Amino acid sequence: MRTQLATFPKGGVHPKENKDLTRALPIETMPDPSKVSLFLKQHVGAPCQVSVPPRVDAPIDDGLLLAASHPGAVFRLLVHKKERVNVGDRVGDTGNRLGAVLHASVGGMVQGVENALHYQEGKAQALVIQTDPESVPPQYSEVDWRAFSREEIQARIAAAGIVGLGGAGFPTDVKLNVKPGTRLDTLILNGAECEPYITCDHRVMVTYAREIVEGARILLTVLGITYCAIGVENNKPDAIAALNEAIARARADDGFRIEVKPLAVKYPQGSADQIMQSITGRVRPSGQRSSSIGIIVQNVYTTKMVYDAVALGKPLTERVITITGRAIARPANLRVKIGTPISEIVNYLGGTTPDLCKVVVGGPMMGFAVSDLDIPITKTTPGVLFLSHEEVDAQAFGPCIRCGFCLDACPMGLEPNTIGIYVEAGRGAETEPFGLMDDCFECGSCAYACPAKRPLVQFIRLARIEINQARKLKEAREQIRKAG
Amino acid sequence: MATHHSTIPHQSCDGADGHHLLVSVSPHLKSDLTVSRIMWTVVACLMPPLLLSIFVFGFQTLIITLVSVISCVATEAIAQRLLGRPVTVKDGSAVITGVLLAYVIPPGVPLWTPVFGGVMAIFVTKVIMGGLGFNIFNPALIGRAFLVATYPVAMTTSWLSPIRDWAIFKHTGPAVDAVSSATPLYVLKHYGMAAMLEQFGSRATVYKDFFLGAMPGCIGETSALLLLLGGLYLIFKGYIRWHIPVSVIASTGVLTWIFGGERLFTGDPIIAVLSGGLMLGAFFMATDYVTSPNQRAGQIVFGIGVGALTVLIRLKGGYPEGVCYAILLMNPLTPAIDQLFKPKRFSQGAVQ
């Protein structure tokens, strides 16, 4: 007799999980790399500012006042070339604009700001720190966070540079800044980890269940609500057991109700919209925030980092990532410093096998293929895949046979087949009515399911580009008309 | 003109030194389902009725089917070559068309019949419309409709009586003595139920023979049982859904029961459902991805339309048999039905 597991009704696919490579491997700490490259933008919002000489302090205000979490902050230039920093030193800040602060992830000497390869954006500015093996990292000790006010807790989260670690990278303190008058009732911790291959959240839940549950209490305190559901896909029974045990052990009469919700294994279970629907049955209206239906979603690993920030005062300088695939000599769940180049991770794990075909930063469904290993890990990198020939499907694609499998697969009820046909015909700009601008989060379920192997996500991205171009053109024409 | 067969540039993957890594847009995992796997599975599901037809009508049926398949595949290959398009016969779709075309022509036709039908089905219906995925009508059925219109005598009198003495080579050779034994549906239409039962045995015998496949008829539409098994396997594999076959069969049965007798509600739905290629049409023709709707509600509407038109043609039309034209009449409505029944958008379910 199987209990009915909670899940979302519409769409979804069941890719091979491939988690066995790393499922049972305990978290291992990699020694500091020889250098780290810290992207100035590894979060949603404005890029961090750092100082390269000349060093001046200047207030900034360019109208991007989004973050109420830095009220009246005066932006300070923080470091300069050849300066020595220690782990956890603040080296970048976005001032009063939306963003997250950046910390040195190793002790050593600041080399300056360079253009580094970025897996998503080609190249991006990064602060490079040369590691000094002699530097002694600071020690953190636990304090009773219950002594802090809500504002103090949020300030500590902001000061630690915590962003959504699931991949979105939204600054956590800003997410907790719910508009006054919003009626919240549920905090969801997202431990679905529905991407195949990736097991970092899994290991974090098994290893740090106590910290996650305590982090949930911190978040509930900030939000002023009492109920938290931790959604975990049912393929991680040890994580579910560890969390349940931590909840039972940490029973306090503080009125909080925290429970684990086992979820059916179905991709994209870990998408915010889908996990909210799986757990509460509520559906977020298009274009609105999750708080409009009374829910805040946080990734379990982010929650663990929140605990570290608030209870230990520890900034976000390292994270666990899953290094996996059949073309890496030794798969691992590895704790690495933010900014560690993938090439150094590969060397540490004994190199790649000769049949390496594709390297993907992130999960196989939404990650980015890269052509170079000199790419640094960011706060939002859940893992790196080293895929062999047999794991890569490089078939040519054919015409759409109208089978409708992509329609069944799309969790948002869109029509990827139609969008693809429009784009192929050079009419991508006309696809806006199909809802791809608001609702498609490029989960890849459609392209996974397509028997003709059509690159539907690529078509959707092209359609978005064409729609944006058409909008710009329209605006320009309007302006010319007005001027004339 | 869009290119229908783009290819992702293949790069060598000697990525040991971090160079020449394959780069493509996510997702990096694909299901192991391919177009050709679907197509060849359909071909496999269509083989049992062919084997049975050899025992029922003789070895001739295998030859006709082979000629039809070769004609369809060759037409596709030659046409694509001449038009400068990539040759895609490996995907199996032309093979399906060839098999289905053979299944809807009588077993006693001369061998040039499937050749003409194949050219019509593949070249006119599919290739010049743009190839796989771009045809409006079911190619095999256009092939049949063309043959019925052009060679009506061959297509309506080449019936063979079922062989019951295992002499499967009886009808091979140049002079096929086609028995102009009319099909049960023909007798039923023109002479009524009593005459049909007189000719083909008691009602129970007729049911059994229809179900198992010992009846005069087209090559592949005799055995309702084997077609049903093949169709159920496709549903079990998830390649087709139950919505079209069930709505076709149910609407045909119900409407025949209401209108098919002397008085209302006295028609025989079982004969209607077991006869005249309805099973073949319901499971293998009406479910063609390209020419049928792809949402469940639209598929039910489509299926009911096919069933209703089938009954209408059988009872009031000029042909004893209506499945072919019913599907062909519903095919061009597919885009309109797809417009009416779109997938439900996620946020449409937003209820506070």
Side-chain angles (χ1 to χ4, degrees):
Chain A
M1 171 75 196
R2 275 183 63 246
T3 46
Q4 267 298 308
L5 289 166
T7 191
F8 56 99
K10 166 94 191 76
V13 289
H14 297 275
K16 276 202 191 71
E17 290 179 33
N18 281 309
K19 293 182 191 257
D20 287 342
L21 289 165
T22 53
R23 186 194 298 271
L25 299 176
I27 296 168
E28 175 185 349
T29 303
M30 178 179 153
D32 283 1
S34 61
K35 65 160 194 183
V36 293
S37 304
L38 301 165
F39 286 117
L40 301 185
K41 187 177 181 315
Q42 26 194 317
H43 49 252
V44 172
C48 281
Q49 304 279 343
V50 295
S51 96
V52 256
R55 188 168 183 176
V56 288
D57 288 351
I60 55 158
D61 176 16
D62 57 1
L64 283 169
L65 279 160
L66 290 168
S69 53
H70 304 281
V74 171
F75 170 62
R76 270 200 169 62
L77 296 168
L78 295 158
V79 289
H80 59 89
K81 231 174 178 150
K82 302 290 184 222
E83 189 172 337
R84 299 195 67 77
V85 290
N86 200 354
V87 178
D89 285 357
R90 206 156 55 124
V91 293
D93 196 346
T94 55
N96 47 12
R97 294 178 298 167
L98 177 70
V101 291
L102 194 58
H103 302 83
S105 57
V106 292
M109 189 184 292
V110 175
Q111 296 237 305
V113 174
E114 327 177 335
N115 263 334
L117 287 174
H118 190 286
Y119 58 86
Q120 224 170 324
E121 301 174 16
K123 283 211 160 132
Q125 291 215 307
L127 179 80
V128 179
I129 302 171
Q130 194 73 34
T131 310
D132 172 11
E134 303 297 304
S135 79
V136 183
Q139 294 299 309
Y140 302 99
S141 55
E142 191 161 0
V143 295
D144 182 14
W145 60 267
R146 288 175 175 76
F148 298 126
S149 69
R150 271 194 212 182
E151 289 71 27
E152 281 171 323
I153 291 175
Q154 268 182 282
R156 285 174 85 87
I157 294 171
I162 312 285
V163 301
L165 295 178
F170 196 81
T172 303
D173 63 301
V174 181
K175 202 171 186 176
L176 296 174
N177 244 332
V178 185
K179 266 205 305 253
T182 314
R183 296 189 47 160
L184 290 181
D185 58 16
T186 303
L187 166 69
I188 290 178
L189 297 196
N190 187 342
E193 199 163 50
C194 57
E195 273 271 14
Y197 284 95
I198 304 292
T199 57
C200 60
D201 287 358
H202 181 179
R203 295 316 307 175
V204 166
M205 286 187 277
V206 170
T207 315
Y208 299 110
R210 182 188 75 88
E211 287 83 348
I212 291 169
V213 172
E214 203 61 9
R217 290 172 191 277
I218 296 172
L219 293 171
L220 289 170
T221 305
V222 174
L223 296 169
I225 55 176
T226 57
Y227 177 64
C228 167
I230 309 176
V232 185
E233 269 192 357
N234 209 34
N235 53 7
K236 299 180 262 293
D238 49 348
I240 292 170
L243 288 165
N244 274 324
E245 197 188 333
I247 291 167
R249 196 174 295 176
R251 248 189 224 303
D253 45 7
D254 47 13
F256 292 140
R257 193 159 71 85
I258 300 171
E259 61 179 359
V260 181
K261 285 269 189 194
L263 305 172
V265 178
K266 181 164 77 160
Y267 179 87
Q269 188 70 264
S271 147
D273 277 337
Q274 274 59 41
I275 202 170
M276 288 194 290
Q277 192 183 14
S278 294
I279 290 178
T280 67
R282 296 177 214 164
V283 170
R284 183 185 61 88
S286 193
Q288 293 202 31
R289 292 205 169 160
S290 71
S291 55
S292 70
I293 52 170
I295 305 172
I296 294 288
V297 183
Q298 291 286 5
N299 168 280
V300 284
Y301 196 5
T302 312
T303 309
K304 191 260 172 187
M305 292 290 187
V306 164
Y307 167 83
D308 284 355
V310 178
L312 304 174
K314 190 177 168 189
L316 173 49
T317 58
E318 59 188 17
R319 68 161 295 162
V320 177
I321 61 174
T322 302
I323 308 292
T324 182
R326 282 173 181 76
I328 184 89
R330 184 164 74 83
N333 295 302
L334 211 54
R335 184 183 285 106
V336 298
K337 300 292 188 178
I338 308 293
T340 302
I342 293 172
S343 50
E344 292 208 28
I345 296 171
V346 172
N347 290 339
Y348 172 72
L349 292 174
T352 54
T353 60
D355 61 354
L356 173 66
C357 178
K358 199 181 213 179
V359 176
V360 176
V361 177
M365 298 297 284
M366 289 181 73
F368 297 83
V370 296
S371 59
D372 194 306
L373 298 185
D374 205 19
I375 288 178
I377 298 298
T378 68
K379 290 179 182 179
T380 54
T381 309
V384 184
L385 315 178
F386 294 84
L387 302 176
S388 63
H389 290 275
E390 66 189 58
E391 293 169 279
V392 173
D393 183 343
Q395 284 184 68
F397 69 92
C400 169
I401 58 166
R402 289 184 34 84
C403 66
F405 291 177
C406 59
L407 304 175
D408 284 352
C410 179
M412 302 309 280
L414 305 174
E415 295 166 76
N417 54 349
T418 316
I419 296 166
I421 286 167
Y422 268 79
V423 170
E424 269 189 326
R427 291 166 56 184
E430 298 166 43
T431 57
E432 202 169 349
F434 304 130
L436 71 164
M437 294 310 265
D438 299 329
D439 282 357
C440 173
F441 56 98
E442 300 183 5
C443 70
S445 297
C446 54
Y448 171 84
C450 178
K453 309 296 161 197
R454 291 167 68 74
L456 295 165
V457 174
Q458 196 168 355
F459 287 145
I460 286 169
R461 283 191 194 159
L462 288 167
R464 282 180 162 161
I465 291 168
E466 287 183 44
I467 289 168
N468 283 325
Q469 283 174 334
R471 281 182 187 169
K472 282 199 184 110
L473 202 64
K474 203 172 152 201
E475 278 168 27
R477 287 207 181 107
E478 290 285 311
Q479 282 178 338
I480 292 167
R481 226 166 34 87
K482 278 188 192 137
Chain B
M1 175 78 199
T3 49
H4 300 144
H5 295 270
S6 331
T7 52
I8 297 164
H10 281 263
Q11 306 177 16
S12 59
C13 306
D14 48 346
D17 55 352
H19 294 287
H20 307 295
L21 290 168
L22 189 68
V23 174
S24 64
V25 172
S26 61
H28 308 285
L29 280 184
K30 306 267 172 75
S31 73
D32 50 10
L33 192 60
T34 62
V35 171
S36 54
R37 181 192 286 195
I38 295 171
M39 299 290 181
W40 289 109
T41 306
V42 174
V43 171
C45 288
L46 285 166
M47 286 302 107
L50 177 63
L51 290 176
L52 181 85
S53 78
I54 295 172
F55 290 101
V56 175
F57 299 125
F59 203 70
Q60 176 81 358
T61 60
L62 181 63
I63 296 168
I64 290 175
T65 307
L66 283 174
V67 169
S68 175
V69 168
I70 291 166
S71 158
C72 284
V73 171
T75 303
E76 181 159 271
I78 294 166
Q80 287 176 327
R81 182 64 51 89
L82 290 178
L83 290 164
R85 294 179 192 166
V87 176
T88 58
V89 292
K90 271 200 197 134
D91 66 23
S93 60
V95 177
I96 294 186
T97 301
V99 173
L100 288 175
L101 175 66
Y103 282 16
V104 291
I105 51 184
V109 294
L111 279 182
W112 44 258
T113 321
V115 175
F116 287 168
V119 172
M120 194 68 199
I122 293 291
F123 182 69
V124 178
T125 318
K126 193 171 135 190
V127 174
I128 59 176
M129 297 304 287
L132 177 64
F134 292 88
N135 47 304
I136 302 169
F137 296 100
N138 185 309
L141 291 177
I142 290 283
R144 177 191 146 93
F146 164 80
L147 292 174
V148 170
T150 325
Y151 307 101
V153 176
M155 289 296 289
T156 53
T157 59
S158 310
W159 311 113
L160 302 177
S161 290
I163 302 166
R164 293 178 193 269
D165 55 4
W166 300 97
I168 61 169
F169 296 102
K170 184 190 279 186
H171 301 300
T172 42
V176 175
D177 54 344
V179 190
S180 306
S181 109
T183 60
L185 279 186
Y186 181 87
V187 178
L188 185 63
K189 182 177 180 72
H190 295 282
Y191 305 98
M193 179 65 81
M196 202 271 276
L197 293 178
E198 192 183 320
Q199 188 171 342
F200 293 97
S202 72
R203 207 175 276 255
T205 313
V206 170
Y207 288 169
K208 183 172 67 79
D209 282 353
F210 266 139
F211 190 64
L212 297 177
M215 275 288 172
C218 290
I219 291 174
E221 59 188 32
T222 53
S223 171
L225 169 68
L226 293 181
L227 292 164
L228 183 69
L229 289 177
L232 288 176
Y233 181 73
L234 290 180
I235 292 174
F236 162 75
K237 288 292 283 183
Y239 295 173
I240 61 173
R241 289 198 201 118
W242 57 264
H243 301 69
I244 288 177
V246 167
S247 54
V248 170
I249 291 165
S251 56
T252 305
V254 168
L255 291 169
T256 306
W257 172 62
I258 297 174
F259 299 109
E262 308 290 314
R263 301 183 318 280
L264 284 186
F265 303 105
T266 58
D268 188 330
I270 298 180
I271 286 182
V273 165
L274 296 182
S275 64
L278 189 87
M279 287 288 171
L280 181 69
F283 283 104
F284 293 94
M285 304 265 201
T287 56
D288 172 30
Y289 291 147
V290 180
T291 55
S292 68
N294 49 32
Q295 289 300 292
R296 290 164 177 78
Q299 289 175 338
I300 286 174
V301 169
F302 182 88
I304 291 172
V306 169
L309 287 167
T310 300
V311 174
L312 187 69
I313 294 168
R314 280 182 182 181
L315 299 181
K316 301 285 174 205
Y319 294 100
E321 163 48 5
V323 178
C324 165
Y325 293 101
I327 296 174
L328 285 177
L329 286 166
M330 289 306 292
N331 279 165
L333 294 179
T334 293
I337 295 172
D338 272 341
Q339 280 296 317
L340 280 174
F341 300 97
K342 285 200 168 291
K344 189 161 163 251
R345 293 277 289 276
F346 176 81
S347 48
Q348 279 178 328
V351 184
Q352 296 259 350

